PDB file of all heavy atoms in Angstrom:
ATOM      1  N   PHE A 237     -46.096 -55.789 -24.953  1.00 98.00           N
ATOM      2  CA  PHE A 237     -47.539 -55.910 -24.665  1.00 98.00           C
ATOM      3  C   PHE A 237     -48.292 -54.633 -25.005  1.00 98.00           C
ATOM      4  O   PHE A 237     -49.387 -54.665 -25.609  1.00 98.00           O
ATOM      5  CB  PHE A 237     -47.732 -56.282 -23.173  1.00 98.00           C
ATOM      6  CG  PHE A 237     -47.336 -57.671 -22.853  1.00 98.00           C
ATOM      7  CD1 PHE A 237     -46.488 -57.985 -21.770  1.00 98.00           C
ATOM      8  CD2 PHE A 237     -47.783 -58.764 -23.624  1.00 98.00           C
ATOM      9  CE1 PHE A 237     -46.118 -59.294 -21.492  1.00 98.00           C
ATOM     10  CE2 PHE A 237     -47.393 -60.050 -23.347  1.00 98.00           C
ATOM     11  CZ  PHE A 237     -46.547 -60.336 -22.291  1.00 98.00           C
ATOM     12  N   VAL A 365     -46.019 -68.010 -29.841  1.00 98.00           N
ATOM     13  CA  VAL A 365     -44.767 -68.325 -29.164  1.00 98.00           C
ATOM     14  C   VAL A 365     -44.785 -67.689 -27.759  1.00 98.00           C
ATOM     15  O   VAL A 365     -44.268 -68.273 -26.783  1.00 98.00           O
ATOM     16  CB  VAL A 365     -43.532 -67.826 -29.976  1.00 98.00           C
ATOM     17  CG1 VAL A 365     -42.248 -68.218 -29.265  1.00 98.00           C
ATOM     18  CG2 VAL A 365     -43.545 -68.421 -31.352  1.00 98.00           C
ATOM     19  N   LEU A 366     -45.379 -66.503 -27.656  1.00 98.00           N
ATOM     20  CA  LEU A 366     -45.386 -65.838 -26.329  1.00 98.00           C
ATOM     21  C   LEU A 366     -46.223 -66.607 -25.312  1.00 98.00           C
ATOM     22  O   LEU A 366     -45.810 -66.721 -24.156  1.00 98.00           O
ATOM     23  CB  LEU A 366     -45.980 -64.420 -26.461  1.00 98.00           C
ATOM     24  CG  LEU A 366     -44.958 -63.298 -26.576  1.00 98.00           C
ATOM     25  CD1 LEU A 366     -45.668 -61.946 -26.608  1.00 98.00           C
ATOM     26  CD2 LEU A 366     -43.971 -63.368 -25.444  1.00 98.00           C
ATOM     27  N   VAL A 367     -47.363 -67.129 -25.765  1.00 98.00           N
ATOM     28  CA  VAL A 367     -48.198 -67.927 -24.859  1.00 98.00           C
ATOM     29  C   VAL A 367     -47.357 -69.172 -24.365  1.00 98.00           C
ATOM     30  O   VAL A 367     -47.292 -69.437 -23.178  1.00 98.00           O
ATOM     31  CB  VAL A 367     -49.543 -68.370 -25.502  1.00 98.00           C
ATOM     32  CG1 VAL A 367     -50.254 -69.384 -24.661  1.00 98.00           C
ATOM     33  CG2 VAL A 367     -50.417 -67.160 -25.763  1.00 98.00           C
ATOM     34  N   ALA A 368     -46.694 -69.825 -25.340  1.00 98.00           N
ATOM     35  CA  ALA A 368     -45.850 -70.966 -24.960  1.00 98.00           C
ATOM     36  C   ALA A 368     -44.767 -70.600 -23.988  1.00 98.00           C
ATOM     37  O   ALA A 368     -44.472 -71.296 -23.026  1.00 98.00           O
ATOM     38  CB  ALA A 368     -45.268 -71.614 -26.234  1.00 98.00           C
ATOM     39  N   HIS A 369     -44.141 -69.411 -24.229  1.00 98.00           N
ATOM     40  CA  HIS A 369     -43.061 -68.895 -23.424  1.00 98.00           C
ATOM     41  C   HIS A 369     -43.516 -68.663 -21.944  1.00 98.00           C
ATOM     42  O   HIS A 369     -42.856 -69.094 -21.012  1.00 98.00           O
ATOM     43  CB  HIS A 369     -42.599 -67.565 -24.028  1.00 98.00           C
ATOM     44  CG  HIS A 369     -41.449 -66.918 -23.359  1.00 98.00           C
ATOM     45  ND1 HIS A 369     -40.173 -67.425 -23.325  1.00 98.00           N
ATOM     46  CD2 HIS A 369     -41.368 -65.713 -22.668  1.00 98.00           C
ATOM     47  CE1 HIS A 369     -39.396 -66.572 -22.657  1.00 98.00           C
ATOM     48  NE2 HIS A 369     -40.097 -65.534 -22.255  1.00 98.00           N
ATOM     49  N   ILE A 370     -44.713 -68.059 -21.833  1.00 98.00           N
ATOM     50  CA  ILE A 370     -45.206 -67.784 -20.499  1.00 98.00           C
ATOM     51  C   ILE A 370     -45.659 -69.050 -19.784  1.00 98.00           C
ATOM     52  O   ILE A 370     -45.354 -69.255 -18.597  1.00 98.00           O
ATOM     53  CB  ILE A 370     -46.360 -66.720 -20.567  1.00 98.00           C
ATOM     54  CG1 ILE A 370     -45.780 -65.381 -21.098  1.00 98.00           C
ATOM     55  CG2 ILE A 370     -47.021 -66.517 -19.233  1.00 98.00           C
ATOM     56  CD1 ILE A 370     -46.783 -64.356 -21.495  1.00 98.00           C
ATOM     57  N   VAL A 371     -46.315 -69.949 -20.525  1.00 98.00           N
ATOM     58  CA  VAL A 371     -46.726 -71.213 -19.913  1.00 98.00           C
ATOM     59  C   VAL A 371     -45.484 -72.015 -19.477  1.00 98.00           C
ATOM     60  O   VAL A 371     -45.433 -72.578 -18.377  1.00 98.00           O
ATOM     61  CB  VAL A 371     -47.587 -72.068 -20.952  1.00 98.00           C
ATOM     62  CG1 VAL A 371     -47.779 -73.499 -20.447  1.00 98.00           C
ATOM     63  CG2 VAL A 371     -48.902 -71.390 -21.164  1.00 98.00           C
ATOM     64  N   ALA A 372     -44.412 -71.998 -20.300  1.00 97.00           N
ATOM     65  CA  ALA A 372     -43.202 -72.699 -19.947  1.00 97.00           C
ATOM     66  C   ALA A 372     -42.576 -72.092 -18.678  1.00 97.00           C
ATOM     67  O   ALA A 372     -42.170 -72.855 -17.772  1.00 97.00           O
ATOM     68  CB  ALA A 372     -42.182 -72.639 -21.105  1.00 97.00           C
ATOM     69  N   ALA A 373     -42.577 -70.753 -18.569  1.00 97.00           N
ATOM     70  CA  ALA A 373     -41.987 -70.133 -17.372  1.00 97.00           C
ATOM     71  C   ALA A 373     -42.774 -70.491 -16.128  1.00 97.00           C
ATOM     72  O   ALA A 373     -42.201 -70.837 -15.063  1.00 97.00           O
ATOM     73  CB  ALA A 373     -41.996 -68.592 -17.576  1.00 97.00           C
ATOM     74  N   LEU A 374     -44.102 -70.562 -16.255  1.00 97.00           N
ATOM     75  CA  LEU A 374     -44.941 -70.899 -15.093  1.00 97.00           C
ATOM     76  C   LEU A 374     -44.776 -72.376 -14.745  1.00 97.00           C
ATOM     77  O   LEU A 374     -44.762 -72.791 -13.570  1.00 97.00           O
ATOM     78  CB  LEU A 374     -46.406 -70.569 -15.393  1.00 97.00           C
ATOM     79  CG  LEU A 374     -46.717 -69.081 -15.574  1.00 97.00           C
ATOM     80  CD1 LEU A 374     -48.188 -68.874 -15.971  1.00 97.00           C
ATOM     81  CD2 LEU A 374     -46.413 -68.311 -14.301  1.00 97.00           C
ATOM     82  N   ARG A 375     -44.584 -73.214 -15.770  1.00 97.00           N
ATOM     83  CA  ARG A 375     -44.408 -74.638 -15.543  1.00 97.00           C
ATOM     84  C   ARG A 375     -43.071 -74.878 -14.797  1.00 97.00           C
ATOM     85  O   ARG A 375     -43.016 -75.703 -13.856  1.00 97.00           O
ATOM     86  CB  ARG A 375     -44.367 -75.370 -16.910  1.00 97.00           C
ATOM     87  CG  ARG A 375     -44.105 -76.854 -16.792  1.00 97.00           C
ATOM     88  CD  ARG A 375     -44.342 -77.557 -18.128  1.00 97.00           C
ATOM     89  NE  ARG A 375     -43.871 -78.936 -18.093  1.00 97.00           N
ATOM     90  CZ  ARG A 375     -42.682 -79.337 -18.503  1.00 97.00           C
ATOM     91  NH1 ARG A 375     -41.842 -78.463 -19.025  1.00 97.00           N
ATOM     92  NH2 ARG A 375     -42.347 -80.612 -18.468  1.00 97.00           N
ATOM     93  N   HIS A 376     -42.033 -74.124 -15.166  1.00 96.00           N
ATOM     94  CA  HIS A 376     -40.756 -74.275 -14.442  1.00 96.00           C
ATOM     95  C   HIS A 376     -40.956 -73.969 -12.942  1.00 96.00           C
ATOM     96  O   HIS A 376     -40.452 -74.652 -12.075  1.00 96.00           O
ATOM     97  CB  HIS A 376     -39.705 -73.277 -15.000  1.00 96.00           C
ATOM     98  CG  HIS A 376     -39.053 -73.793 -16.220  1.00 96.00           C
ATOM     99  ND1 HIS A 376     -38.191 -74.871 -16.202  1.00 96.00           N
ATOM    100  CD2 HIS A 376     -39.049 -73.386 -17.523  1.00 96.00           C
ATOM    101  CE1 HIS A 376     -37.730 -75.108 -17.455  1.00 96.00           C
ATOM    102  NE2 HIS A 376     -38.247 -74.197 -18.237  1.00 96.00           N
ATOM    103  N   LEU A 385     -37.811 -69.264 -13.412  1.00 96.00           N
ATOM    104  CA  LEU A 385     -38.591 -68.007 -13.366  1.00 96.00           C
ATOM    105  C   LEU A 385     -38.008 -67.033 -12.328  1.00 96.00           C
ATOM    106  O   LEU A 385     -37.827 -65.869 -12.604  1.00 96.00           O
ATOM    107  CB  LEU A 385     -40.055 -68.340 -13.049  1.00 96.00           C
ATOM    108  CG  LEU A 385     -40.963 -67.105 -12.863  1.00 96.00           C
ATOM    109  CD1 LEU A 385     -40.999 -66.226 -14.113  1.00 96.00           C
ATOM    110  CD2 LEU A 385     -42.415 -67.504 -12.538  1.00 96.00           C
TER     111      LEU A 385
END
Side-chain angles (χ1 to χ4, degrees):
F237 288 130
V365 182
L366 263 184
V367 169
H369 181 67
I370 295 168
V371 169
L374 295 176
R375 177 171 171 264
H376 277 294
L385 175 59

